[in-house]
Each structure stands twice: as structure tokens, then as C-alpha cells.
């Protein structure tokens, strides 16, 4: 039992796969077509090349700048998510830098040359260059401007505004107005020989809106880091011209370095201005102090300090030395605070002016860096943008921090100063005999030293700032310059060919699958075996060619004749299994019109007649008679079944018609179409007709009406020994098989056997390889092709 189930399962799987296997010729054709199409696509598709470059974002503290925004990230002032490299990536991807690159190479103007199939971009190998005059460079236009040029001579060129207009001869250097733009055409050194020039077509020039060009390059530019913590940045861009992609990347890096150097120089210039202002003030203070000392000593007649106070004074000198340092720091701190208050409109501070507090120095540097970022972003963004608001908040926070740190720093210096003064006062109390004039002289001298120390420090920082301005290094170090390999990144031949192969296989298989889902027609005997297991199948009738005859003739060796011989043999076995020896009655019917029941009935009757049996074929479809079409149209008016059922005086022998080319075949035509066919079949004359036919013939075949349309067939089915049910491949819906099954189960039709009409030879039987004809085999397509090639 298990083996039987396994065989059934295996058979079912084989049946499911059979339509896909039978589609192998279409699969081969589809694959070949897709491969040819892919080759044509690869041949004429626009190739895209990818240029790549890599740089290292350097620390500007090592490169000569005064500050670097990376310090802010290290100190956590922007939060834990701050990443200076990510900020630099955003700058590299900015449309502002791309706009500078596009201006540098005039990328808004594209040149192309038309080939046999498509246009190809021309980047360097052209004979002229087109530039927009500066006065028109800011003109906004939304649609591309297109025109054509051709080479005429070294000083002349041809111009036409559209493909249909006439050529105009123009001189190089001449200003030409096209669509409100003033253009100047400049010759380039690219020239070809006369033979090659004949093969080159005219140049098509398109001037595109700058905004669209920037957007195009921005969408194709890719900038990312090689690692989460690394400072190496990789840049890539795709273009139809590899050399142009290389130039764009290299120029983008150069524009980035220029932008970074400008930012650094802004800080250095502001610092230099601050130092210059303080130097002017300190110089005036120093002159005033020195003048005061000279005047004091002249008026008091002071020369040298007494030896008697040398020991105490030595201690005082040590304290005063420390006090001098503290006061110097205190003066610088106050000056810096005064600058932050009075000159805050410049919004720039300085760092490293002798202040010994590392945290204060760090805050000042951070403030400079955030301010530089704020000013640079403000060039392209409004003050209400999220980035500007964030930077403004950070500047306010840093400014408050600097003031708080300065206050704490000054207060600390004051405490230290007070401590030193207290110690100095204690020592001075021991040397009270020192003249008051000497004390005053020391105080004035100390002020002079403080001012002089500040002056020297500012001079040193002035030189440092000047050096920084002179030797500012680029921010990005180039690891690899822009390079575009000769191999395009799109389209990829291997992927295209693989896709063509897969598509070539999937298209026919998909069509077969869709047909399996949506095609609701029977195709072979297997459809009947699956849906009507209780019905035996007599055979299959092949699908005929359009010019083939649909009736069997004497000594016929066609596929049609062989198929009906097999049906006749199977029907004889079914008739022989009956329990009576009387003349057998075969009823031929179908579900709907057009399934071929009349043709089946006629050829079946002819086949039995050719075997020696005397056969009567009755036209039982009195609603839509069709038997007369096999003969002359005059037979359509001959009396038949209807007249017999209506007129009890008629005899069957008076109505039957012999068939000329088959001496054993007779027909009882349908006769006139009655108004009440069903009532006629219900009369007792129907039984008389069948009995009389049995007495005269060896076999009676009735061509009945379709079962789903009328009830006639069910009324006369009781007279039939076997009901031959005709279905038609690629015509009968599978849903109608359920109607046939229900009809048989309800007992309306008895002893039913099926015939499948119009079956393709490839769907015959079980093996799909064998035909019924023993006549000469038809030549295959390959045999015909070989025969033609042999000539």
C-alpha cells in the first residue's frame, strides 16, 4: 500500500513538473534572447566610472594653527557624540565646496558627441571651450541651454542653435548672446586629421543650471571614514568620464584645504590685532613709568641703596620677585577680562599670554574654535537654523565659563599677592630706618618692571602669531589622489549576464507557472483522470491543422483515423462487457457547444462502418442540427428525427440516408427544428425509433445535444448502453468537469466513457513522445534546415 502511495506521489510530482520540462525549447530561446539583449545593453549602455581618493585629517596644533575644534570634542563640551572627523566630512560634502569645484572646471557646461546609437560625453578631446562672461555668471535659469558647434578652421567654427537650424560661421573670441547669456568661445589645442575629422560628428553643448549640477555631483559624492576612531577619510564619486571624476576629487581636497587655512588665518589675524592694541597701551604705560622714575630721582637726589639694609633687603627682594610674577599674572588676567568686556564685538580672544591656569587656557582655545565654526557656518545658514542655535548656545556657555575662570584666577592671584605683601610688610617693619624716598623709588621701579615684562611677553606673542600666519599648513594630508580605474563600475558585465541567464530561465517558467494558475482549460487525459476518476477514457483525438480534413475517408492512414480506431477498439471492449446481445446504442454528448461531439459521433460511426458493421448515426440534437455539414447543404431540409417523432405513419427506412463513400453507414438527420424538443423526446415514439433502429442495424450512434444547455440528452440517455462524453483540450473549463461528475453521481448519465478532442500531439497519452500515425514522418525543423544548407 505504501509503495502505491509513493508511486502516486511520484507521479503527481512528475505531472506537476512536466509543463516546466516541456518548456525547454522556450527556455533556450528565452536565454539566448536575454543574453543577446544583455550584450546589446552592455555594448550601448552608458558606462560609469568610480574615482576614489583618501586623506588624513591632521591635528592643526601640529600644523601651525592657533586652535582646533577637536579640542572641544576631547573636553566633552559638545557631548559624548561629538566627533570632529564627522564634522570635517560634512564640510567635504558641502555644496559650497562643490560649487567652487564646479566653477573651477566649468562643469555646468557639458560637451557630447553623437555616435551611431548614442551620445558620448567629451571631456578633454574637444576643439573649443565655452565660458559665460562674469557679468552673466549670476543669471538664474531653470532649463538647460543647448546648441551645436563644429570645427571649420583654426579661427572659425560653426554654430547652430538647434538641430534643425542652419549653421552660422563665427570667430573665436567673439561674444555671442544665446538665451540672455553672453558666451565666449575659445579654441583648444585638440585637433585631428582630416580623415578622422570626417568620422567625428558635431559637438553638442549643454549649459545646465548650476543648482542642478551641484545637486547631481552632491548625490554622487560619497565621503566616509575608514574606521570609527581613525582620521582617514575616503572619498569616491561616479561619473561617465573617469578623468573628470578624478579632477573633481582632487580639486575638492584642494578647496577643503583652502577653506581650512582661511579659518585658521581668521583666528591668527584677530589675535594679532589684539596684541597690537595691547602693545600700544603698554608702550604708553612704560614711557610714563620711566619718565616718573627719572623725575623722582632728580627731585629727591637718590643714587644707591645703603649697605646697612642689604641683608633685610635681600629677603624683601625675594618676596618682591615673587610678588612681581604674581602682579604680572594679575595684570594680564585683568587686561584679558577688560578685552573680553570692552572689545567683545570682535568675539575673539587669545590664549597662551603667560597665564598659568591650564583650564582657563583650554576654555579660551575652545571658545576660539567654536567661534570660528560659528562664523563659517553663518556664511551659508541663518541664525535660526539648529546648527547656529546650538553653536550660539555653546558660545554663551563657554563665555560664562571664561569669565568665571578669570574671576577665580584673579581672586587666587589677589590672595597670593596679599600674602606676599604681608610678608614684605613684616620685613619692612624691621628696616624702618630706610629712608622713605628709597621705598618710593623701589615702588616706582617695581611698576616699571611689571610693565616691561608685559611688553616683552606681548612682543614674543606677536612674533609667534606672525610665524603662524606665514607657515599655516593644510589640514588634509593626501594619502591617495583621485584615481579612476579603466574598468567601469556600472554596468557590471558578470552581473548583467547572470541576470540575463536567470531572467531567460524565469520568464518562460514564470509564464508556464502563471498558465498553471490562471489557465482553466483541460489539456490532456491526465486532467480527466484527476478530476473524473470514475470515468473511463476511450481515447484522444488529435488537434488538426487548419487545412486538414475533419472526417475519415476510406483507407485513411492519418493521425485522426488512427485515433478513432483506438477509440473504436476501446469502445468495443466496453460494449462487449454488457450483459445482452442486442444491438448496442451509443449516445455521444458534451457539456457545451463547440467541443466536437458531432465530429466525434460522425467519425466514430464511420470507423465502425469501415470495420464491417452496419451503423446508423442519428442526429439527436434537434435544436441545433449539425450532421448535414458533412454533406450537401440540401440535406438540411430532409425529413428526420423530428418528423418521425411527430408523424406516427413514417417508418425509419423511409428517412435514413446512406453515405456515399461508406456503404455500411446510414444517417437519420435531425429534420426540422421543433418548438418543443423536450416534449417530443418524452413521447413513446422515441422508444419506437430506437427499437426500429436496433432491428435494422448492428450499431446505433446518437449525436445528442450538450448536457449543460438543455435536458434532451438526459431524456434519451435511458436508451443508451454507453454514453460517450466528449471534451475538448484547451477549450473545456476544468470547472465543467465537476458538473460532469455531479451528473454521473446523480444517475442522469450511465456507463459514461470520455473522449478528449483536439489534443496536441505533445500531450498525447502518457509519454508525450508517440503518435498514432504510421504514415511518412514529418521532417523536423533541424532536418529542414540541414536540407536547405546542403544546397
Amino acid at each position: 500500500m505504501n509503495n502505491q502511495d509513493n508511486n502516486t506521489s511520484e507521479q503527481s510530482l512528475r505531472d506537476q513538473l512536466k509543463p516546466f520540462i516541456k518548456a525547454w525549447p522556450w527556455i533556450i530561446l528565452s536565454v539566448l534572447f536575454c543574453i543577446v539583449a544583455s550584450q546589446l545593453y552592455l555594448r550601448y549602455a552608458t558606462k560609469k566610472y568610480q574615482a576614489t581618493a583618501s586623506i588624513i585629517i591632521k591635528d592643526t596644533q601640529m600644523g601651525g594653527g592657533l586652535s582646533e575644534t577637536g579640542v572641544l570634542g576631547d573636553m566633552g563640551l559638545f557631548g559624548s557624540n561629538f566627533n570632529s572627523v564627522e564634522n570635517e566630512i560634512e564640510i567635504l560634502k558641502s555644496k559650497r565646496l562643490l560649487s567652487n569645484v564646479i566653477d573651477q572646471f566649468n562643469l555646468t557646461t557639458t560637451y557630447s558627441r553623437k555616435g551611431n546609437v548614442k551620445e558620448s560625453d567629451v571631456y578633454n578631446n574637444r576643439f573649443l571651450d565655452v565660458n559665460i562672461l562674469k557679468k552673466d555668471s549670476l543669471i538664474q535659469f531653470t532649463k538647460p541651454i543647448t546648441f551645436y558647434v563644429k570645427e571649420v578652421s583654426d579661427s572659425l567654427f560653426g554654430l547652430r542653435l538647434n538641430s534643425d537650424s542652419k549653421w552660422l560661421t563665427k570667430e573665436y573670441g567673439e561674444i555671442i548672446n544665446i538665451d540672455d547669456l553672453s558666451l565666449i568661445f575659445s579654441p583648444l589645442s585638440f585637433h585631428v586629421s582630416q580623415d578622422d575629422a570626417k568620422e567625428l560628428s558635431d559637438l553638442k553643448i549643454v549649459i545646465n543650471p548650476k543648482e542642478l549640477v551641484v545637486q547631481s555631483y552632491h548625490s554622487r559624492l560619497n565621503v566616509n571614514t575608514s574606521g570609527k576612531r581613525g582620521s582617514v577619510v575616503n572619498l569616491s564619486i561616479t561619473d561617465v568620464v573617469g578623468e573628470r571624476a578624478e579632477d573633481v576629487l582632487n580639486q575638492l581636497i584642494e578647496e577643503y584645504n583652502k577653506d581650512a587655512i582661511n579659518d585658521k588665518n581668521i583666528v591668527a589675524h584677530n589675535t594679532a590685532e589684539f596684541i597690537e592694541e595691547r602693545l600700544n597701551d603698554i608702550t604708553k604705560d612704560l614711557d610714563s613709568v620711566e619718565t616718573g622714575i627719572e623725575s623722582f630721582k632728580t627731585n629727591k637726589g637718590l643714587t644707591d641703596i645703603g649697605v646697612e639694609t642689604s641683608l633685610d633687603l635681600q629677603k624683601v627682594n625675594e618676596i618682591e620677585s615673587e610678588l612681581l610674577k604674581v602682579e604680572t599674572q594679575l595684570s594680564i588676567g585683568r587686561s584679558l577680562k577688560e578685552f573680553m568686556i570692552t572689545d567683545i564685538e570682535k568675539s575673539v580672544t587669545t590664549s597662551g599670554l603667560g597665564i598659568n591656569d591650564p583650564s582657563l587656557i583650554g576654555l579660551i582655545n575652545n571658545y576660539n574654535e567654536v567661534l570660528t565654526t560659528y562664523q563659517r557656518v553663518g556664511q551659508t545658514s541663518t541664525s535660526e537654523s539648529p546648527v547656529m542655535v546650538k553653536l550660539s548656545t555653546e558660545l554663551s556657555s563657554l563665555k560664562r565659563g571664561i569669565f568665571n575662570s578669570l574671576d577665580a584666577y584673579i581672586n587666587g592671584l589677589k590672595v597670593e599677592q596679599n600674602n606676599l605683601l604681608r610678608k614684605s610688610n613684616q620685613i619692612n617693619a624691621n628696616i624702618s630706618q630706610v629712608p622713605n624716598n628709597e621705598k618710593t623709588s623701589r615702588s616706582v621701579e617695581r611698576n616699571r618692571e611689571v610693565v616691561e615684562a608685559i611688553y616683552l611677553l606681548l612682543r614674543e606673542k606677536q612674533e609667534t602669531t606672525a610665524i603662524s600666519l606665514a607657515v599655516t599648513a593644510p589640514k588634509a594630508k593626501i594619502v591617495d589622489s583621485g584615481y579612476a580605474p579603466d574598468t567601469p563600475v556600472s554596468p557590471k558585465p558578470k552581473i548583467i549576464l547572470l541576470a540575463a541567464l536567470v531572467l531567460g530561465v524565469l520568464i518562460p517558467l514564470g509564464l508556464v507557472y502563471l498558465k498553471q494558475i490562471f489557465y482553466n482549460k483541460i489539456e490532456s487525459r491526465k486532467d480527466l483522470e484527476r478530476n473524473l476518476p470514475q470515468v473511463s477514457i476511450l481515447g484522444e483525438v488529435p488537434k488538426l491543422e487548419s487545412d486538414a480534413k475533419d472526417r475519415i475517408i476510406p483507407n485513411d492512414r492519418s493521425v485522426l483515423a488512427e485515433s478513432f480506431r483506438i477509440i473504436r477498439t476501446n469502445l468495443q471492449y466496453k460494449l462487449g462487457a454488457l450483459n445482452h446481445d442486442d444491438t448496442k446504442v451509443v449516445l455521444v454528448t458534451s457539456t457545451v457547444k463547440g467541443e466536437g461531439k458531432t465530429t466525434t459521433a460522425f467519425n466514430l460511426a464511420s470507423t465502425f462502418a469501415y470495420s464491417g458493421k452496419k451503423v446508423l448515426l442519428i442526429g439527436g440534437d434537434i435544436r441545433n442540427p449539425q450532421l448535414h455539414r458533412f454533406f450537401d447543404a440540401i440535406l438540411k431540409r430532409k425529413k428526420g428525427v423530428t418528423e418521425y417523432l411527430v408523424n406516427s405513419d413514417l417508418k425509419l427506412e423511409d428517412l435514413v440516408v446512406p453515405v456515399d463513400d461508406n456503404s455500411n453507414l446510414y444517417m437519420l438527420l435531425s429534420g426540422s427544428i421543433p418548438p418543443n424538443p423536450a416534449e417530443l423526446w418524452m413521447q413513446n415514439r422515441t422508444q419506437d425509433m430506437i427499437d426500429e433502429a436496433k432491428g435494422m442495424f448492428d450499431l446505433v450512434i446518437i449525436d445528442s445535444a450538450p448536457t449543460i444547455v438543455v435536458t434532451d440528452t438526459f431524456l434519451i440517455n435511458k436508451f443508451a448502453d454507453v454514453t460517450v462524453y466528449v471534451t475538448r483540450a484547451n477549450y473545456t473549463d476544468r470547472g465543467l468537469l465537476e458538473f460532469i461528475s455531479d451528473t454521473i453521481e446523480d444517475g442522469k448519465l450511465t456507463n459514461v466513457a470520455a473522449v478528449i478532442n483536439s489534443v496536441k500531439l505533445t500531450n498525447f497519452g502518457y509519454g508525450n513522445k508517440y503518435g498514432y500515425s504510421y504514415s511518412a514522418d514529418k521532417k523536423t525543423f533541424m532536418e529542414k534546415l540541414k536540407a536547405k544548407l546542403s544546397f
Side-chain angles (χ1 to χ4, degrees):
M1 185 68 180
N2 291 335
N3 292 334
Q4 184 177 357
D5 293 341
N6 293 336
N7 292 335
T8 303
S9 177
E10 181 182 355
Q11 182 72 18
S12 177
L13 179 61
R14 186 166 58 247
D15 292 342
Q16 294 177 11
L17 294 178
K18 186 175 293 183
F20 298 95
I21 298 173
K22 286 168 57 178
W24 69 265
W26 296 106
I27 293 175
I28 294 176
L29 290 176
S30 178
V31 168
L32 291 176
F33 174 80
C34 289
I35 289 177
V36 171
S38 67
Q39 291 298 320
L40 291 175
Y41 173 76
L42 291 173
R43 171 64 178 84
Y44 295 108
T46 301
K47 296 179 176 59
K48 295 182 180 180
Y49 300 87
Q50 185 178 55
T52 58
S54 58
I55 60 175
I56 294 179
I57 305 298
K58 298 188 298 181
D59 185 356
T60 55
Q61 295 295 343
M62 300 176 60
L66 291 178
S67 62
E68 186 68 43
T69 55
V71 179
L72 299 176
D74 296 337
M75 298 183 64
L77 296 180
F78 282 163
S80 58
N81 292 328
F82 179 80
N83 190 326
S84 61
V85 177
E86 291 181 356
N87 290 340
E88 301 306 320
I89 288 177
E90 292 302 319
I91 295 174
L92 280 166
K93 293 170 61 177
S94 66
K95 294 181 179 179
R96 177 173 56 88
L97 292 185
L98 277 175
S99 178
N100 295 338
V101 173
I102 289 170
D103 290 339
Q104 179 67 27
F105 291 105
N106 193 22
L107 296 180
T108 55
T109 304
T110 60
Y111 307 82
S112 61
R113 181 173 284 116
K114 186 176 181 180
N116 294 329
V117 177
K118 65 172 185 176
E119 293 183 353
S120 57
D121 273 35
V122 176
Y123 183 54
N124 285 329
N125 54 341
R126 61 180 188 269
F127 61 89
L128 57 71
D129 195 10
V130 180
N131 292 283
I132 303 175
L133 295 185
K134 289 185 178 180
K135 67 182 184 68
D136 293 341
S137 59
L138 298 179
I139 294 179
Q140 299 292 332
F141 57 97
T142 58
K143 294 182 179 181
I145 299 174
T146 304
F147 52 91
Y148 303 84
V149 296
K150 68 176 180 178
E151 189 174 16
V152 177
S153 66
D154 292 340
S155 59
L156 300 175
F157 67 94
L159 171 68
R160 63 178 180 181
L161 301 182
N162 54 65
S163 58
D164 299 329
S165 62
K166 295 182 179 180
W167 285 102
L168 304 175
T169 302
K170 300 290 183 179
E171 292 184 1
Y172 289 115
E174 179 182 354
I175 298 177
I176 301 174
N177 295 320
I178 300 178
D179 290 349
D180 298 331
L181 291 181
S182 298
L183 306 178
I184 186 167
F185 295 75
S186 305
L188 297 179
S189 58
F190 171 75
H191 290 286
V192 295
S193 63
Q194 294 183 353
D195 294 336
D196 294 335
K198 294 179 180 179
E199 299 178 359
L200 295 179
S201 60
D202 310 327
L203 277 181
K204 176 183 177 182
I205 301 178
V206 180
I207 301 178
N208 300 284
K210 185 176 180 179
E211 183 178 353
L212 297 180
V213 178
V214 172
Q215 184 63 36
S216 173
Y217 278 93
H218 184 267
S219 63
R220 290 183 276 126
L221 177 64
N222 185 25
V223 183
N224 52 46
T225 58
S226 58
K228 292 184 177 180
R229 296 188 177 181
S231 59
V232 177
V233 177
N234 298 320
L235 301 90
S236 64
I237 193 170
T238 58
D239 202 316
V240 295
V241 180
E243 187 177 356
R244 181 166 57 198
E246 294 175 357
D247 291 343
V248 168
L249 289 186
N250 292 331
Q251 186 63 31
L252 180 62
I253 296 172
E254 184 176 345
E255 292 293 333
Y256 170 76
N257 280 330
K258 289 180 181 178
D259 188 67
I261 291 174
N262 290 336
D263 288 344
K264 296 173 187 177
N265 288 340
I266 290 174
V267 177
H269 279 297
N270 291 332
T271 303
E273 291 178 3
F274 167 76
I275 293 174
E276 186 67 28
E277 291 177 1
R278 293 304 301 158
L279 278 173
N280 292 334
D281 294 338
I282 294 299
T283 301
K284 295 178 181 178
D285 293 341
L286 185 59
D287 291 339
S288 177
V289 169
E290 289 179 347
T291 302
I293 291 174
E294 182 181 359
S295 176
F296 174 77
K297 287 185 176 182
T298 302
N299 294 332
K300 299 296 182 179
L302 296 177
T303 55
D304 296 326
I305 301 175
V307 178
E308 64 276 7
T309 60
S310 60
L311 295 175
D312 291 335
L313 290 178
Q314 183 177 358
K315 294 180 182 179
V316 173
N317 287 336
E318 292 177 357
I319 294 175
E320 288 181 347
S321 177
E322 295 180 5
L323 187 61
L324 177 62
K325 294 179 181 179
V326 172
E327 289 176 345
T328 301
Q329 298 283 328
L330 189 59
S331 177
I332 292 174
R334 288 170 177 168
S335 298
L336 184 57
K337 184 176 181 181
E338 180 184 357
F339 173 77
M340 290 288 293
I341 294 173
T342 58
D343 295 337
I344 197 64
E345 67 276 1
K346 294 183 178 180
S347 300
V348 175
T349 64
T350 185
S351 62
L353 297 178
I355 297 176
N356 296 328
D357 190 349
S359 62
L360 178 58
I361 294 173
L363 285 173
I364 293 173
N365 288 337
N366 293 341
Y367 179 82
N368 290 336
E369 293 160 358
V370 174
L371 179 59
T372 301
T373 304
Y374 180 86
Q375 293 173 345
R376 184 177 67 239
V377 174
Q379 296 176 0
T380 57
S381 302
T382 61
S383 59
E384 290 82 9
S385 67
V387 176
M388 294 293 289
V389 171
K390 179 180 178 183
L391 291 174
S392 178
T393 303
E394 291 170 350
L395 284 173
S396 299
S397 176
L398 287 171
K399 193 182 298 181
R400 289 194 299 271
I402 291 174
F403 279 113
N404 293 334
S405 296
L406 279 173
D407 290 337
Y409 179 73
I410 293 172
N411 291 332
L413 291 175
K414 287 181 179 179
V415 172
E416 186 176 357
Q417 182 186 33
N418 291 332
N419 291 334
L420 292 173
L421 289 174
R422 187 173 59 253
K423 292 179 181 180
S424 177
N425 290 333
Q426 291 175 355
I427 296 174
N428 287 331
N430 296 329
I431 55 172
S432 57
Q433 67 276 18
V434 177
N436 187 47
N437 291 337
E438 187 67 22
K439 292 181 181 179
T440 304
S441 175
R442 288 183 180 277
S443 177
V444 175
E445 182 68 23
R446 185 174 61 237
N447 290 336
R448 184 190 67 80
E449 291 176 354
V450 170
V451 175
E452 185 178 9
I454 296 173
Y455 177 82
L456 294 176
L457 179 61
L458 291 175
R459 280 293 185 186
E460 180 184 355
K461 293 304 176 181
Q462 188 180 39
E463 293 298 324
T464 303
T465 304
I467 294 173
S468 176
L469 282 170
V471 298
T472 301
K475 193 172 187 178
K477 178 181 179 181
I478 299 176
V479 178
D480 289 315
S481 298
Y483 172 70
D486 295 334
T487 303
V489 295
S490 174
K492 296 183 181 295
K494 292 183 179 180
I495 295 179
I496 296 297
L497 290 176
L498 179 61
L501 180 62
V502 173
L503 192 64
V505 174
L506 291 181
I507 287 177
L509 293 182
L511 293 176
V512 172
Y513 179 72
L514 292 176
K515 181 181 178 182
Q516 294 292 101
I517 295 177
F518 299 105
Y519 191 71
N520 196 31
K521 309 293 183 181
I522 65 172
E523 292 184 325
S524 66
R525 65 183 299 149
K526 293 188 179 297
D527 295 317
L528 295 184
E529 291 173 350
R530 283 193 296 267
N531 294 277
L532 298 174
Q534 74 275 30
V535 176
S536 59
I537 299 176
L538 296 179
E540 301 154 285
V541 179
K543 181 178 181 180
L544 302 177
E545 296 181 0
S546 58
D547 56 347
K549 295 182 179 180
D550 60 351
R551 59 172 293 185
I552 298 173
I553 60 177
N555 301 319
D556 200 336
R557 299 291 304 277
S558 65
V559 177
L560 179 67
E562 295 296 338
S563 65
F564 273 101
R565 291 187 183 104
I566 291 178
I567 294 173
R568 178 192 64 191
T569 302
N570 294 332
L571 182 58
Q572 283 177 335
Y573 281 113
K574 197 169 186 64
L575 294 173
L578 299 176
N579 296 325
H580 63 87
D581 296 331
D582 296 340
T583 298
K584 307 300 190 298
V585 178
V586 177
L587 179 67
V588 181
T589 187
S590 65
T591 308
V592 294
K593 179 183 177 182
E595 291 179 305
K597 65 175 182 57
T598 300
T599 302
T600 301
F602 180 81
N603 287 323
L604 185 61
S606 298
T607 304
F608 272 102
Y610 286 135
S611 67
K613 288 183 176 292
K614 189 176 182 182
V615 181
L616 175 63
L617 176 59
I618 299 176
D621 188 0
I622 59 179
R623 297 174 185 265
N624 184 26
Q626 293 295 325
L627 276 178
H628 60 272
R629 67 185 176 84
F630 291 98
F631 303 97
D632 294 335
I634 194 173
L635 292 178
K636 185 176 182 179
R637 296 188 295 272
K638 183 172 178 58
K639 296 180 180 180
V641 173
T642 301
E643 286 75 14
Y644 183 89
L645 295 177
V646 173
N647 189 355
S648 58
D649 295 333
L650 292 176
K651 298 296 182 181
L652 194 64
E653 61 185 7
D654 299 330
L655 301 175
V656 296
V657 178
V659 178
D660 296 336
D661 57 354
N662 195 336
S663 59
N664 290 325
L665 178 60
Y666 295 84
M667 288 197 309
L668 176 61
L669 298 175
S670 300
S672 303
I673 299 176
N676 54 346
E679 286 74 10
L680 288 180
W681 287 118
M682 295 175 64
Q683 297 180 7
N684 293 331
R685 283 288 287 178
T686 304
Q687 180 68 54
D688 296 339
M689 182 181 67
I690 299 301
D691 292 340
E692 190 174 351
K694 286 182 178 181
M696 297 173 57
F697 298 93
D698 300 328
L699 179 66
V700 177
I701 297 177
I702 304 174
D703 173 29
S704 182
T707 58
I708 201 172
V709 181
V710 294
T711 188
D712 300 3
T713 301
F714 300 135
L715 296 175
I716 60 178
N717 179 258
K718 60 183 178 181
F719 304 110
D721 296 298
V722 174
T723 300
V724 176
Y725 212 106
V726 180
T727 59
R728 183 177 177 181
N730 303 307
Y731 184 85
T732 304
D733 288 342
R734 288 192 177 95
L736 295 178
L737 300 182
E738 184 177 353
F739 167 79
I740 299 173
S741 178
D742 294 341
T743 302
I744 296 173
E745 291 178 0
D746 294 342
K748 296 179 181 179
L749 296 177
T750 57
N751 202 12
V752 179
V755 170
I756 308 171
N757 186 30
S758 192
V759 179
K760 296 179 181 179
L761 291 179
T762 55
N763 290 330
F764 259 99
Y766 297 95
N768 298 337
K769 297 180 180 179
Y770 310 105
Y772 291 115
S773 177
Y774 296 98
S775 59
D777 295 335
K778 293 183 178 180
K779 290 184 178 180
T780 64
F781 173 77
M782 293 302 298
E783 290 174 344
K784 294 179 180 179
L785 182 61
K786 289 180 180 179
K788 290 182 179 180
L789 294 177
S790 62
F791 289 103

